[in-house]
Amino acid sequence: MKDKQITKLLKAEKKRQHEAINLIASENYVSDDVLAALGSEATNKYAEGYPGKRYYAGNEIVDQIENLAIERALKLFKLNSKKWGVNVQPLSGSPANIAVYQALVKPGAKIMGMHLAHGGHLTHGHAVSFSGKFWKQVAYTVDKKTEKLDYDALMKLAKREKPAIIVAGYTAYSRKINWKKMREIAESVNAYLLVDMAHIAGLVAAGAHPAPFKHAHVVTTTTHKTLRGPRGGMIFARKDIFVKKKLKSGKIKEESLFDLIQKSVFPGMQGGPHMNQIAGIAVALGEADTVKFRKYTEQIVKNTKALASELKKLGWRIISGGTDNHVFLMDVWNDGDGITGKQASDKLEAEGIILNMNTIPYDTRTPFNPSGLRLGCAAETTRGKKERDMVKLAGRINTILRAE
Ligand SMILES: *Cc1c(COP(=O)(O)O)cnc(C)c1O
């Protein structure tokens, strides 16, 4: 690269990534093949529309790239292409969620999503996000005692509030989610069930977390977290469930959920898709469809359990008592006996351990200086770490956090 300033900064960032221990639950390290796709000439191409139906000429090759990404996505998640369609164009996870609401939820209607401070995502209806401005959030929480989902409480809330859509799938929830129960809750109020598997997509792909497809109407995901692809998003939607719309002429038009999603992404929200990103997603989906990747996700869960249980042994309170997946929350404030999440994160960063501070359920502190830390093991597992490394790492974290 001829640009000296950017070369220098990219080198420095590479070094930083190489040297730090990365416990950020939403990050990962992509393969050289994914990087090569991202840095390819596919970035030069305008391809508004969908394969075979573009608004620009010269798309015969990028059509094949996008079709390959679609094919691989359906195969990876074991989906029948008569029942499910997938849109691989969302620029990231947030626009994917907005596109779903735009397609299926009338302006002003209610989105029932997990409260941000309990592990939900901003795009699940939070007031500062577009999703909370255009629609109205009905926020649910985890149970105060168990710090896990309470499906009976969710059922009651849904029946009282009658949301148009219920969102399940979180950014900071360490337990398995019962998709069947979620669908029953949605069904009881005639709402759609949107599963946002952004965090756990890699685990779902490899069978380390139950798949939501039997129960969800629509499934969104990012591609860059446990799925280990480039930054991006995908939306899976049912092709065999139809919505009836009365046209001005009085005729009834039937459109599938997938048709509505397609229109919502383009032209509803986005312009040209990022074809280099879609090529990278195709590569990552191919990589995920291997025994090696399945072993990788199994190792993520083993490592995360090892880190959480060792920290617990060393006296730290783990939210909900443990973890079933790639992430967990740890209470460092301990009702005022400990340090704040910000202090804890700063102390660890000074020693080369990178993670994020996080609110814990029913936090008495603020998101800018909360009571907890979020720890995830997908990135370090990519770098070959095993349970014994996690036990050692827990010891280091404990020493750093307890040092004056
Ligand atoms: C990360 C995440 C998103 C958003 O992804 P971006 O790519 O950052 O826009 C959406 N939903 C959940 C549950 C997430 O964890």
Side-chain angles (χ1 to χ4, degrees):
M1 198 194 291
K2 291 192 202 76
D3 188 317
K4 289 212 176 76
Q5 282 171 297
I6 289 292
T7 298
K8 196 173 148 202
L9 290 170
L10 289 177
K11 250 195 188 155
E13 173 59 11
K14 189 172 175 178
K15 183 160 178 275
R16 184 199 70 76
Q17 289 188 13
H18 200 76
E19 288 171 356
I21 290 181
N22 185 359
L23 295 177
I24 294 182
S26 49
E27 289 189 5
N28 214 325
Y29 298 100
V30 298
S31 68
D32 290 346
D33 288 5
V34 169
L35 282 183
L38 279 177
S40 70
E41 288 74 8
T43 195
N44 298 331
K45 189 70 198 101
Y46 241 113
E48 279 181 337
Y50 292 105
K53 287 167 283 183
R54 307 282 194 190
Y55 291 81
Y56 294 77
N59 282 296
E60 65 278 10
I61 310 209
V62 294
D63 272 10
Q64 294 174 59
I65 292 174
E66 186 165 344
N67 278 331
L68 204 50
I70 290 167
E71 220 174 86
R72 287 182 181 179
L74 294 174
K75 179 165 178 283
L76 178 64
F77 291 99
K78 301 182 180 67
L79 300 175
N80 178 339
S81 62
K82 288 207 178 70
K83 228 173 143 179
W84 285 92
V86 59
N87 186 310
V88 297
Q89 294 191 2
L91 303 175
S92 214
S94 299
N97 285 343
I98 302 293
V100 173
Y101 305 140
Q102 176 176 251
L104 303 180
V105 188
K106 290 200 180 80
K110 290 176 180 171
I111 296 171
M112 182 165 145
M114 175 88 91
H115 198 295
L116 186 71
H118 287 242
H121 191 261
L122 283 166
T123 57
H124 295 180
H126 192 279
V128 303
S129 141
F130 191 71
S131 66
K133 292 197 168 121
F134 228 70
W135 297 278
K136 223 171 109 193
Q137 189 188 36
V138 175
Y140 60 92
T141 57
V142 294
D143 179 69
K144 198 159 187 178
K145 260 211 197 101
T146 63
E147 295 170 314
K148 295 179 190 172
L149 288 167
D150 173 351
Y151 299 96
D152 293 335
L154 261 58
M155 180 69 100
K156 267 191 207 140
L157 181 67
K159 284 190 168 159
R160 198 178 71 214
E161 297 285 345
K162 304 226 169 5
I165 195 166
I166 298 179
V167 190
Y170 315 102
T171 59
Y173 187 68
S174 63
R175 295 307 188 168
K176 283 206 174 103
I177 304 161
N178 188 331
W179 308 123
K180 185 165 179 271
K181 287 232 164 101
M182 280 294 180
R183 175 60 181 256
E184 283 165 12
I185 295 162
E187 207 69 40
S188 77
V189 293
N190 214 4
Y192 289 116
L193 176 62
L194 163 61
V195 168
D196 177 354
M197 61 173 188
H199 258 264
I200 54 174
L203 306 190
V204 168
H209 187 288
F213 295 97
K214 223 173 116 188
H215 306 290
H217 294 96
V218 181
V219 177
T220 55
T221 185
T222 61
T223 46
H224 48 276
K225 297 179 183 175
T226 54
L227 197 52
R228 209 163 63 182
R231 315 198 77 76
M234 298 193 288
I235 307 174
F236 298 86
R238 289 284 292 266
K239 278 180 163 172
D240 57 347
I241 297 178
F242 295 88
V243 178
K244 281 186 187 143
K245 201 170 87 185
K246 204 170 178 181
L247 299 177
K248 273 194 193 129
S249 63
K251 270 196 196 146
I252 303 284
K253 191 179 170 191
E254 277 203 340
E255 285 177 294
S256 74
L257 297 185
F258 181 62
D259 291 337
L260 293 169
I261 295 293
Q262 292 283 88
K263 283 206 287 195
S264 180
V265 173
F266 178 84
M269 244 185 90
Q270 296 186 176
H274 296 184
M275 292 314 306
N276 60 321
Q277 183 188 33
I278 291 172
I281 290 171
V283 172
L285 291 167
E287 290 172 353
D289 207 358
T290 56
V291 174
K292 205 170 153 200
F293 190 83
R294 199 191 74 221
K295 291 207 170 121
Y296 161 64
T297 61
E298 283 164 5
Q299 191 62 48
I300 297 177
V301 177
K302 283 186 205 160
N303 284 351
T304 314
K305 282 180 190 280
L307 185 61
S309 74
E310 190 64 19
L311 284 164
K312 200 168 165 180
K313 268 189 222 157
L314 294 167
W316 298 94
R317 192 174 81 82
I318 307 301
I319 302 310
S320 87
T323 176
D324 303 324
N325 57 23
H326 66 295
V327 64
F328 62 91
L329 294 172
M330 184 166 107
D331 179 1
V332 290
W333 178 241
N334 195 16
D335 278 334
D337 278 348
I339 56 176
T340 71
K342 172 98 178 72
Q343 287 170 328
S345 160
D346 287 349
K347 274 181 154 189
L348 290 167
E349 185 173 13
E351 299 292 329
I353 299 174
I354 307 296
L355 42 60
N356 62 284
M357 57 182 179
N358 217 99
T359 50
I360 59 173
Y362 303 95
D363 209 326
T364 52
R365 302 187 53 82
T366 66
F368 292 109
N369 200 352
S371 298
L373 296 176
R374 186 179 72 158
L375 299 88
C377 295
E380 285 305 309
T381 307
T382 294
R383 303 166 104 186
K385 298 277 166 62
K386 295 277 174 358
E387 291 97 311
R388 61 179 178 280
D389 303 304
M390 291 300 144
V391 170
K392 263 194 232 158
L393 182 57
R396 256 189 82 194
I397 291 171
N398 179 58
T399 307
I400 295 165
L401 293 183
R402 295 198 194 277
E404 286 305 317

Coordinates of all heavy atoms in Angstrom, one line a residue, residues 26 91-95 97 119-124 169-172 196-199 220 222 224-225 231-233 374, ligand 1:
S26 N -18.3 -10.2 21.2 CA -18.9 -10.0 19.9 C -17.8 -10.0 18.8 O -18.1 -9.9 17.6 CB -19.7 -8.7 19.8 OG -18.9 -7.7 20.4
L91 N -26.3 -4.7 5.6 CA -24.9 -4.2 5.8 C -24.3 -4.6 7.1 O -23.1 -4.7 7.3 CB -24.9 -2.7 5.6 CG -25.4 -2.3 4.2 CD1 -25.5 -0.7 4.1 CD2 -24.6 -2.8 3.1
S92 N -25.2 -4.9 8.1 CA -24.8 -5.4 9.4 C -26.1 -5.9 10.1 O -27.2 -5.9 9.6 CB -24.1 -4.3 10.1 OG -23.1 -4.8 10.9
G93 N -25.9 -6.2 11.4 CA -27.0 -6.8 12.2 C -28.1 -5.8 12.4 O -29.3 -6.1 12.4
S94 N -27.7 -4.5 12.7 CA -28.7 -3.5 13.1 C -29.7 -3.2 11.9 O -30.9 -3.3 12.0 CB -28.1 -2.2 13.6 OG -27.3 -2.5 14.7
P95 N -29.1 -2.9 10.7 CA -30.0 -2.7 9.6 C -30.8 -4.0 9.2 O -32.0 -3.8 8.8 CB -29.1 -2.4 8.4 CG -27.7 -2.4 8.9 CD -27.7 -2.6 10.4
N97 N -32.2 -6.0 11.4 CA -33.4 -5.9 12.3 C -34.4 -4.8 11.9 O -35.6 -5.1 11.9 CB -33.0 -5.7 13.8 CG -32.4 -6.9 14.4 OD1 -32.5 -8.0 13.8 ND2 -31.6 -6.8 15.5
G119 N -29.6 -7.4 28.7 CA -29.0 -8.2 27.6 C -29.6 -8.1 26.3 O -29.1 -8.8 25.3
G120 N -30.6 -7.2 26.1 CA -31.1 -7.0 24.8 C -30.2 -6.1 24.0 O -29.2 -5.6 24.4
H121 N -30.6 -6.0 22.7 CA -29.8 -5.1 21.8 C -30.6 -3.8 21.5 O -31.8 -3.8 21.6 CB -29.6 -5.8 20.4 CG -28.6 -5.1 19.6 ND1 -28.9 -4.2 18.5 CD2 -27.2 -5.0 19.6 CE1 -27.8 -3.7 18.0 NE2 -26.8 -4.2 18.6
L122 N -29.9 -2.7 21.3 CA -30.5 -1.4 21.0 C -31.6 -1.5 20.0 O -32.7 -0.9 20.1 CB -29.4 -0.4 20.4 CG -28.5 0.2 21.5 CD1 -27.3 0.8 20.7 CD2 -29.2 1.2 22.3
T123 N -31.4 -2.4 19.0 CA -32.4 -2.5 17.9 C -33.6 -3.4 18.2 O -34.3 -3.8 17.4 CB -31.7 -3.1 16.6 OG1 -31.1 -4.3 16.9 CG2 -30.7 -2.1 16.0
H124 N -33.7 -3.7 19.5 CA -34.9 -4.5 19.9 C -35.9 -3.6 20.5 O -36.8 -4.0 21.3 CB -34.5 -5.6 21.0 CG -33.6 -6.6 20.4 ND1 -33.1 -7.7 21.1 CD2 -33.1 -6.8 19.1 CE1 -32.3 -8.5 20.3 NE2 -32.3 -7.9 19.1
G169 N -33.3 -13.6 21.5 CA -31.9 -13.6 21.0 C -31.2 -12.3 21.5 O -31.8 -11.3 21.3
Y170 N -30.0 -12.4 22.1 CA -29.6 -11.3 22.9 C -28.1 -11.0 22.7 O -27.4 -11.8 22.1 CB -29.9 -11.6 24.4 CG -31.3 -12.1 24.6 CD1 -31.5 -13.5 24.7 CD2 -32.4 -11.3 24.4 CE1 -32.8 -14.0 24.8 CE2 -33.7 -11.7 24.5 CZ -33.9 -13.1 24.7 OH -35.2 -13.6 24.7
T171 N -27.6 -10.0 23.4 CA -26.2 -9.6 23.3 C -25.4 -10.0 24.5 O -24.2 -10.1 24.5 CB -26.0 -8.1 23.1 OG1 -26.5 -7.5 24.2 CG2 -26.6 -7.6 21.8
A172 N -26.1 -10.3 25.6 CA -25.4 -10.6 26.8 C -26.2 -11.6 27.6 O -26.6 -11.2 28.8 CB -25.1 -9.3 27.6
D196 N -33.2 -13.2 16.8 CA -32.0 -12.5 16.4 C -30.8 -13.3 17.0 O -30.5 -13.2 18.2 CB -32.0 -11.0 17.0 CG -30.7 -10.3 16.8 OD1 -29.8 -10.8 16.2 OD2 -30.7 -9.1 17.1
M197 N -30.2 -14.1 16.2 CA -29.2 -15.0 16.7 C -27.8 -14.4 16.4 O -26.8 -15.2 16.3 CB -29.3 -16.4 16.1 CG -29.2 -16.5 14.6 SD -29.2 -18.3 14.1 CE -28.8 -18.1 12.3
A198 N -27.7 -13.1 16.4 CA -26.4 -12.4 16.1 C -25.2 -13.0 16.8 O -24.2 -13.3 16.2 CB -26.5 -10.9 16.4
H199 N -25.4 -13.2 18.1 CA -24.3 -13.7 18.9 C -24.0 -15.2 18.7 O -22.8 -15.6 18.7 CB -24.5 -13.4 20.4 CG -23.7 -12.2 20.9 ND1 -22.5 -12.3 21.5 CD2 -24.0 -10.9 20.7 CE1 -22.1 -11.0 21.7 NE2 -23.0 -10.2 21.3
T220 N -32.7 -13.2 12.1 CA -31.7 -12.3 11.7 C -30.4 -12.8 12.4 O -30.4 -13.4 13.4 CB -31.9 -10.9 12.0 OG1 -32.2 -10.8 13.5 CG2 -33.1 -10.3 11.3
T222 N -25.9 -11.5 12.7 CA -24.7 -10.8 12.1 C -23.8 -12.0 11.6 O -24.1 -13.2 11.9 CB -23.9 -10.1 13.2 OG1 -23.5 -11.1 14.2 CG2 -24.6 -9.0 13.9
H224 N -20.3 -11.7 11.8 CA -19.0 -11.5 12.3 C -18.7 -11.8 13.8 O -17.7 -11.6 14.3 CB -18.6 -10.0 12.1 CG -19.6 -9.0 12.6 ND1 -20.7 -8.7 11.8 CD2 -19.7 -8.4 13.8 CE1 -21.4 -7.8 12.5 NE2 -20.9 -7.6 13.7
K225 N -19.7 -12.5 14.4 CA -19.4 -12.8 15.8 C -19.0 -14.3 15.9 O -18.0 -14.6 15.3 CB -20.7 -12.5 16.6 CG -20.9 -10.9 16.6 CD -22.2 -10.5 17.3 CE -22.3 -9.0 17.1 NZ -23.6 -8.4 17.7
R231 N -17.8 -8.5 8.8 CA -19.0 -7.7 9.3 C -20.1 -7.8 8.3 O -19.8 -7.6 7.1 CB -18.6 -6.3 9.6 CG -17.3 -6.0 10.3 CD -17.3 -4.6 10.9 NE -18.1 -4.6 12.1 CZ -17.7 -5.1 13.2 NH1 -16.5 -5.7 13.3 NH2 -18.4 -5.1 14.3
G232 N -21.3 -8.1 8.7 CA -22.4 -8.2 7.8 C -23.6 -8.7 8.5 O -23.6 -9.0 9.7
G233 N -24.7 -8.9 7.8 CA -25.9 -9.4 8.3 C -26.6 -10.3 7.4 O -26.4 -10.2 6.1
R374 N -18.5 -8.1 30.7 CA -19.0 -9.2 29.8 C -17.7 -9.9 29.3 O -16.8 -9.2 28.8 CB -19.8 -8.6 28.7 CG -20.4 -9.6 27.8 CD -21.2 -9.0 26.7 NE -20.4 -8.4 25.6 CZ -20.8 -8.2 24.4 NH1 -22.0 -8.5 24.0 NH2 -20.0 -7.6 23.5
Ligands
LIG1 C1 -24.3 -7.4 17.6 C2 -25.8 -7.5 17.6 C3 -26.6 -6.8 16.7 C4 -26.1 -5.7 15.7 O1 -25.1 -5.9 15.0 P1 -24.2 -4.8 14.3 O2 -23.6 -5.5 13.2 O3 -23.3 -4.2 15.3 O4 -25.2 -3.8 13.7 C5 -28.0 -7.0 16.7 N1 -28.5 -7.9 17.5 C6 -27.8 -8.5 18.5 C7 -28.5 -9.4 19.4 C8 -26.4 -8.3 18.5 O5 -25.7 -8.9 19.5

